[in-house]
Structures are given as structure tokens and as C-alpha cells.
């Protein structure tokens, strides 16, 4: 095998085990769950903001477990309160975006879908900090 193929495989392996990729993988699962809860509630006639509260409330402990262990290599529940605060901040940002977009005439389901990318980016930053991970610091899994 040539050096360039070996280097490419190593780079691909590093990418697939990186914290960002793990966060995105966990995020896909968590987002599908959260958006599913949101959609079911909205389609059942619940106000979008109430559905958003339920979505975030149901997801905090489940998402903490996924993020802490799988993504950031943190064990225990000692950082759950900070994680909860990070989620409250992400919720507030999401609620603001949802209000702005629905106020601009975008239907609630589409507005929430459009809100996901910036909310996910902010969530990564806040969750990493809540779990004690700083930029440049590598855990054993990264």
C-alpha cells in the first residue's frame, strides 16, 4: 500500500471517530426524536411553542446520556445541571427563531426545520462547555 493511501485511511478513520462526527451522529438520533415529538404534538393541535417546550423537556436526560458518554467521554451525572442550562439557552434561541420564522409566515413545521442548523451549531458549543470540554482539549476518544 502506498503512503498516500495509508494516510488517507488514517485521516478517514480519525474523522469517523472525531468528536464532531460523534456529536452529529448523536444529533441525528436526538433530532429525529425531538422533531418527531414536536411534529406529533403540532399535528395533534398543540401550540408550536408548547410543543417545543415538551420536545426540549423530554430530551434533556436522554440527550445528556448520549452526549456525555458517547460524544465527550464524560461519565456520571455531575454535569447534568450545567447541561440543563445549556439546553435552556439552546431552547431560548430555538424559541426565538421559531417565533421569528412563524411570524414571517412560515408554517411551524418548516420553521422548526429551518431553525435546526443554527440551533445544532450553538448546541455543540454550549454542550461541550457544559460537559467541561474546551477547544483544543482532546479526550481519550478523539
Amino acid at each position: 500500500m502506498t503512503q498516500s493511501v495509508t494516510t488517507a485511511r488514517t485521516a478517514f478513520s480519525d474523522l469517523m471517530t472525531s468528536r464532531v462526527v460523534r456529536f452529529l451522529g448523536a444529533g441525528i438520533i436526538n433530532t429525529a426524536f425531538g422533531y418527531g415529538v414536536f411534529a406529533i404534538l403540532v399535528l395533534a393541535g398543540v401550540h408550536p411553542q408548547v410543543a417545543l417546550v415538551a420536545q426540549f423537556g423530554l430530551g434533556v436526560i436522554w440527550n445528556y446520556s448520549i452526549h456525555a458518554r458517547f460524544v465527550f467521554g464524560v461519565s456520571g451525572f455531575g454535569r447534568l445541571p450545567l447541561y440543563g442550562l445549556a439546553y435552556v439557552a439552546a431552547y431560548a434561541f430555538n424559541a426565538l427563531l421559531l417565533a421569528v420564522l412563524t411570524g414571517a409566515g412560515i408554517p411551524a413545521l418548516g420553521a422548526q426545520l429551518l431553525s435546526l442548523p443554527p440551533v445544532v451549531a450553538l448546541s455543540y458549543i454550549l454542550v461541550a462547555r457544559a460537559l467541561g470540554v474546551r477547544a483544543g482539549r482532546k479526550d481519550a476518544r478523539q
Side-chain angles (χ1 to χ4, degrees):
M1 218 182 286
T2 67
Q3 180 65 27
S4 62
V5 171
T6 302
T7 302
R9 281 188 177 175
T10 301
F12 181 74
S13 177
D14 289 349
L15 173 64
M16 295 314 293
T17 59
S18 76
R19 184 181 294 139
V20 171
V21 171
R22 291 191 314 266
F23 184 82
L24 292 174
I28 289 168
I29 293 165
N30 294 342
T31 299
F33 172 78
Y35 191 75
V37 168
F38 179 81
I40 288 167
L41 292 174
V42 167
L43 293 172
V46 175
H47 188 278
Q49 292 291 347
V50 174
L52 189 62
V53 169
Q55 169 191 338
F56 272 80
L58 290 172
V60 170
I61 293 175
W62 169 257
N63 294 350
Y64 174 83
S65 296
I66 297 286
H67 285 137
R69 291 184 184 111
F70 177 68
V71 177
F72 295 102
V74 173
S75 61
F77 289 93
R79 293 193 167 269
L80 183 58
L82 287 175
Y83 183 86
L85 288 175
Y87 250 73
V88 168
Y91 164 79
F93 180 66
N94 194 160
L96 176 64
L97 280 176
L98 183 62
V100 168
L101 293 172
T102 56
I106 299 173
L109 295 179
Q112 181 60 11
L113 197 58
L114 289 172
S115 298
L116 290 176
V119 170
V120 168
L122 177 63
S123 294
Y124 179 84
I125 294 165
L126 295 176
V127 164
R129 293 203 177 246
L131 293 174
V133 178
R134 298 289 184 252
R137 181 181 146 210
K138 295 186 178 196
D139 64 24
R141 299 185 67 183
Q142 184 170 4

